């Protein structure tokens, strides 16, 4: 008999997890949160960022084009 391991994808990320997912530094994520660029949920002292918020942030990032 095999035991299937079911992975549950998180709906909320800690700022550290969000930084890792975005490939940014932890301090940059906190700056984005402070500036209002990344909305977050606060419960007590904990801050969490919705997955949808991270995806919307990335989708809204300007694309840099280079011309030669």
């Amino acid at each position: 008999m095999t035991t299937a391991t079911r992975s549950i994808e998180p709906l909320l990320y800690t700022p550290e997890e969000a930084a890792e997912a975005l490939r940014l530094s932890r301090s940059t994520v906190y700056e984005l949160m402070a500036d209002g660029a990344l909305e977050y949920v606060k419960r007590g002292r904990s801050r969490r960022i919705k997955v949808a918020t991270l995806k919307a942030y990335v989708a809204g990032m300007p694309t840099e084009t280079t011309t030669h």
Side-chain angles (χ1 to χ4, degrees), residues 3 11 25 27 31-32 42 47-48 50-52 54 59 61:
T3 304
L11 300 174
S25 70
S27 59
E31 288 174 14
L32 291 169
K42 186 173 180 185
R47 290 173 178 80
R48 298 293 183 266
K50 295 178 183 180
V51 171
L54 293 175
M61 293 176 82

Side-chain angles (χ1 to χ4, degrees), residues 27-39:
S27 59
T28 299
V29 169
Y30 276 103
E31 288 174 14
L32 291 169
M33 291 167 60
D35 293 343
L38 275 180
E39 294 181 4

Side-chain angles (χ1 to χ4, degrees), residues 8-60:
I8 299 175
E9 199 162 320
L11 300 174
L12 297 171
Y13 283 161
T14 64
E16 291 78 10
E17 292 168 334
E20 185 177 344
L22 295 171
R23 303 286 197 253
L24 298 173
S25 70
R26 180 179 156 274
S27 59
T28 299
V29 169
Y30 276 103
E31 288 174 14
L32 291 169
M33 291 167 60
D35 293 343
L38 275 180
E39 294 181 4
Y40 60 92
V41 177
K42 186 173 180 185
R43 294 290 179 259
R45 292 177 44 165
S46 297
R47 290 173 178 80
R48 298 293 183 266
I49 303 167
K50 295 178 183 180
V51 171
T53 299
L54 293 175
K55 289 180 179 182
Y57 175 75
V58 171

